mmCIF file of all heavy atoms in Angstrom:
data_model
loop_
_atom_site.group_PDB
_atom_site.id
_atom_site.type_symbol
_atom_site.label_atom_id
_atom_site.label_comp_id
_atom_site.label_asym_id
_atom_site.label_seq_id
_atom_site.Cartn_x
_atom_site.Cartn_y
_atom_site.Cartn_z
ATOM 1 N N VAL B 24 140.964 108.760 52.215
ATOM 2 C CA VAL B 24 140.620 110.097 51.705
ATOM 3 C C VAL B 24 139.754 110.798 52.741
ATOM 4 O O VAL B 24 139.025 110.161 53.505
ATOM 5 C CB VAL B 24 139.870 110.045 50.346
ATOM 6 C CG1 VAL B 24 140.780 109.542 49.242
ATOM 7 C CG2 VAL B 24 138.608 109.198 50.420
ATOM 8 N N MET B 25 139.886 112.125 52.778
ATOM 9 C CA MET B 25 139.048 112.907 53.687
ATOM 10 C C MET B 25 137.702 113.122 53.019
ATOM 11 O O MET B 25 137.627 113.674 51.916
ATOM 12 C CB MET B 25 139.731 114.261 53.950
ATOM 13 C CG MET B 25 138.934 115.215 54.818
ATOM 14 S SD MET B 25 138.687 114.614 56.496
ATOM 15 C CE MET B 25 140.336 114.846 57.183
ATOM 16 N N ALA B 26 136.649 112.642 53.664
ATOM 17 C CA ALA B 26 135.317 112.796 53.088
ATOM 18 C C ALA B 26 134.971 114.284 52.978
ATOM 19 O O ALA B 26 135.162 115.041 53.933
ATOM 20 C CB ALA B 26 134.283 112.067 53.939
ATOM 21 N N GLY B 27 134.514 114.690 51.808
ATOM 22 C CA GLY B 27 134.126 116.085 51.614
ATOM 23 C C GLY B 27 135.249 116.971 51.110
ATOM 24 O O GLY B 27 135.073 118.182 50.983
ATOM 25 N N ASP B 28 136.391 116.377 50.827
ATOM 26 C CA ASP B 28 137.531 117.145 50.305
ATOM 27 C C ASP B 28 137.776 116.733 48.867
ATOM 28 O O ASP B 28 138.207 115.606 48.634
ATOM 29 C CB ASP B 28 138.782 116.879 51.148
ATOM 30 C CG ASP B 28 140.043 117.461 50.517
ATOM 31 O OD1 ASP B 28 139.934 118.523 49.871
ATOM 32 O OD2 ASP B 28 141.127 116.861 50.685
ATOM 33 N N PRO B 29 137.557 117.555 47.878
ATOM 34 C CA PRO B 29 137.041 118.923 48.003
ATOM 35 C C PRO B 29 135.521 119.001 48.174
ATOM 36 O O PRO B 29 135.027 120.014 48.636
ATOM 37 C CB PRO B 29 137.470 119.587 46.692
ATOM 38 C CG PRO B 29 137.658 118.468 45.719
ATOM 39 C CD PRO B 29 137.985 117.242 46.502
ATOM 40 N N SER B 30 134.792 117.929 47.810
ATOM 41 C CA SER B 30 133.337 117.933 48.035
ATOM 42 C C SER B 30 132.889 116.484 48.205
ATOM 43 O O SER B 30 133.582 115.555 47.776
ATOM 44 C CB SER B 30 132.600 118.549 46.851
ATOM 45 O OG SER B 30 132.673 117.659 45.741
ATOM 46 N N LEU B 31 131.736 116.280 48.811
ATOM 47 C CA LEU B 31 131.259 114.904 49.013
ATOM 48 C C LEU B 31 130.946 114.227 47.679
ATOM 49 O O LEU B 31 131.127 113.011 47.532
ATOM 50 C CB LEU B 31 130.032 114.885 49.929
ATOM 51 C CG LEU B 31 130.342 114.949 51.422
ATOM 52 C CD1 LEU B 31 129.070 115.093 52.232
ATOM 53 C CD2 LEU B 31 131.106 113.692 51.878
ATOM 54 N N ARG B 32 130.494 115.017 46.695
ATOM 55 C CA ARG B 32 130.206 114.438 45.383
ATOM 56 C C ARG B 32 131.493 113.841 44.802
ATOM 57 O O ARG B 32 131.508 112.733 44.269
ATOM 58 C CB ARG B 32 129.632 115.515 44.462
ATOM 59 C CG ARG B 32 129.081 115.003 43.157
ATOM 60 C CD ARG B 32 128.574 116.148 42.283
ATOM 61 N NE ARG B 32 129.590 117.196 42.099
ATOM 62 C CZ ARG B 32 130.633 117.095 41.262
ATOM 63 N NH1 ARG B 32 130.817 116.011 40.546
ATOM 64 N NH2 ARG B 32 131.488 118.090 41.155
ATOM 65 N N GLN B 33 132.610 114.583 44.948
ATOM 66 C CA GLN B 33 133.876 114.076 44.430
ATOM 67 C C GLN B 33 134.402 112.899 45.255
ATOM 68 O O GLN B 33 135.018 111.993 44.713
ATOM 69 C CB GLN B 33 134.903 115.203 44.344
ATOM 70 C CG GLN B 33 134.729 116.010 43.066
ATOM 71 C CD GLN B 33 135.268 117.420 43.186
ATOM 72 O OE1 GLN B 33 134.819 118.192 44.044
ATOM 73 N NE2 GLN B 33 136.233 117.759 42.354
ATOM 74 N N THR B 34 134.149 112.913 46.561
ATOM 75 C CA THR B 34 134.558 111.775 47.389
ATOM 76 C C THR B 34 133.858 110.508 46.887
ATOM 77 O O THR B 34 134.464 109.431 46.800
ATOM 78 C CB THR B 34 134.204 112.016 48.871
ATOM 79 O OG1 THR B 34 134.808 113.235 49.298
ATOM 80 C CG2 THR B 34 134.709 110.886 49.752
ATOM 81 N N GLY B 52 137.964 109.689 56.018
ATOM 82 C CA GLY B 52 138.173 110.579 57.160
ATOM 83 C C GLY B 52 136.934 111.417 57.421
ATOM 84 O O GLY B 52 136.297 111.891 56.488
ATOM 85 N N PRO B 54 135.958 114.884 58.891
ATOM 86 C CA PRO B 54 136.723 116.079 59.270
ATOM 87 C C PRO B 54 136.407 116.543 60.690
ATOM 88 O O PRO B 54 135.266 116.488 61.135
ATOM 89 C CB PRO B 54 136.275 117.127 58.238
ATOM 90 C CG PRO B 54 134.959 116.658 57.730
ATOM 91 C CD PRO B 54 134.994 115.158 57.805
ATOM 92 N N ALA B 68 143.158 119.295 54.827
ATOM 93 C CA ALA B 68 142.061 118.599 54.149
ATOM 94 C C ALA B 68 140.787 118.700 54.982
ATOM 95 O O ALA B 68 139.691 118.893 54.450
ATOM 96 C CB ALA B 68 142.437 117.139 53.916
ATOM 97 N N ARG B 71 139.326 122.056 54.507
ATOM 98 C CA ARG B 71 138.634 122.154 53.208
ATOM 99 C C ARG B 71 137.278 121.450 53.270
ATOM 100 O O ARG B 71 136.273 121.960 52.775
ATOM 101 C CB ARG B 71 139.490 121.531 52.096
ATOM 102 C CG ARG B 71 140.756 122.313 51.742
ATOM 103 C CD ARG B 71 141.360 121.804 50.427
ATOM 104 N NE ARG B 71 141.829 120.423 50.485
ATOM 105 C CZ ARG B 71 143.080 120.057 50.813
ATOM 106 N NH1 ARG B 71 143.978 120.975 51.130
ATOM 107 N NH2 ARG B 71 143.427 118.790 50.828
ATOM 108 N N ALA B 72 137.280 120.267 53.894
ATOM 109 C CA ALA B 72 136.037 119.486 53.964
ATOM 110 C C ALA B 72 134.979 120.222 54.791
ATOM 111 O O ALA B 72 133.801 120.247 54.441
ATOM 112 C CB ALA B 72 136.317 118.114 54.556
ATOM 113 N N LEU B 73 135.413 120.838 55.889
ATOM 114 C CA LEU B 73 134.445 121.567 56.715
ATOM 115 C C LEU B 73 133.914 122.780 55.954
ATOM 116 O O LEU B 73 132.727 123.093 56.030
ATOM 117 C CB LEU B 73 135.085 121.989 58.045
ATOM 118 C CG LEU B 73 135.355 120.833 59.019
ATOM 119 C CD1 LEU B 73 136.147 121.304 60.223
ATOM 120 C CD2 LEU B 73 134.042 120.177 59.463
ATOM 121 N N ARG B 74 134.798 123.422 55.205
ATOM 122 C CA ARG B 74 134.350 124.577 54.405
ATOM 123 C C ARG B 74 133.338 124.164 53.338
ATOM 124 O O ARG B 74 132.444 124.916 52.986
ATOM 125 C CB ARG B 74 135.552 125.268 53.745
ATOM 126 C CG ARG B 74 136.157 126.379 54.589
ATOM 127 C CD ARG B 74 136.964 127.348 53.723
ATOM 128 N NE ARG B 74 138.009 126.692 52.953
ATOM 129 C CZ ARG B 74 139.232 126.416 53.419
ATOM 130 N NH1 ARG B 74 139.551 126.768 54.634
ATOM 131 N NH2 ARG B 74 140.122 125.817 52.659
ATOM 132 N N SER B 75 133.477 122.921 52.839
ATOM 133 C CA SER B 75 132.517 122.480 51.811
ATOM 134 C C SER B 75 131.214 121.973 52.454
ATOM 135 O O SER B 75 130.351 121.422 51.770
ATOM 136 C CB SER B 75 133.149 121.413 50.908
ATOM 137 O OG SER B 75 133.125 120.139 51.540
ATOM 138 N N GLY B 76 131.096 122.166 53.776
ATOM 139 C CA GLY B 76 129.830 121.858 54.449
ATOM 140 C C GLY B 76 129.668 120.400 54.868
ATOM 141 O O GLY B 76 128.554 119.927 55.097
ATOM 142 N N THR B 77 130.780 119.679 54.990
ATOM 143 C CA THR B 77 130.705 118.256 55.319
ATOM 144 C C THR B 77 130.373 118.038 56.796
ATOM 145 O O THR B 77 130.899 118.721 57.663
ATOM 146 C CB THR B 77 132.061 117.584 55.023
ATOM 147 O OG1 THR B 77 132.450 117.948 53.697
ATOM 148 C CG2 THR B 77 131.976 116.081 55.145
ATOM 149 N N ILE B 82 128.063 112.511 55.444
ATOM 150 C CA ILE B 82 128.951 111.429 55.019
ATOM 151 C C ILE B 82 128.184 110.100 55.015
ATOM 152 O O ILE B 82 128.281 109.307 54.087
ATOM 153 C CB ILE B 82 130.194 111.340 55.943
ATOM 154 C CG1 ILE B 82 131.053 112.598 55.777
ATOM 155 C CG2 ILE B 82 131.020 110.085 55.631
ATOM 156 C CD1 ILE B 82 132.161 112.737 56.813
ATOM 157 N N MET B 85 126.060 109.872 52.069
ATOM 158 C CA MET B 85 126.857 109.558 50.874
ATOM 159 C C MET B 85 127.160 108.061 50.806
ATOM 160 O O MET B 85 127.084 107.446 49.732
ATOM 161 C CB MET B 85 128.156 110.355 50.886
ATOM 162 C CG MET B 85 129.082 110.019 49.723
ATOM 163 S SD MET B 85 130.788 110.544 50.012
ATOM 164 C CE MET B 85 131.292 109.382 51.268
#
Side-chain angles (χ1 to χ4, degrees):
Chain B
V24 292
M25 177 64 73
D28 170 34
S30 71
L31 278 173
R32 190 182 53 77
Q33 277 155 301
T34 304
R71 290 193 296 269
L73 289 173
R74 269 201 304 275
S75 80
T77 310
I82 294 169
M85 176 198 71

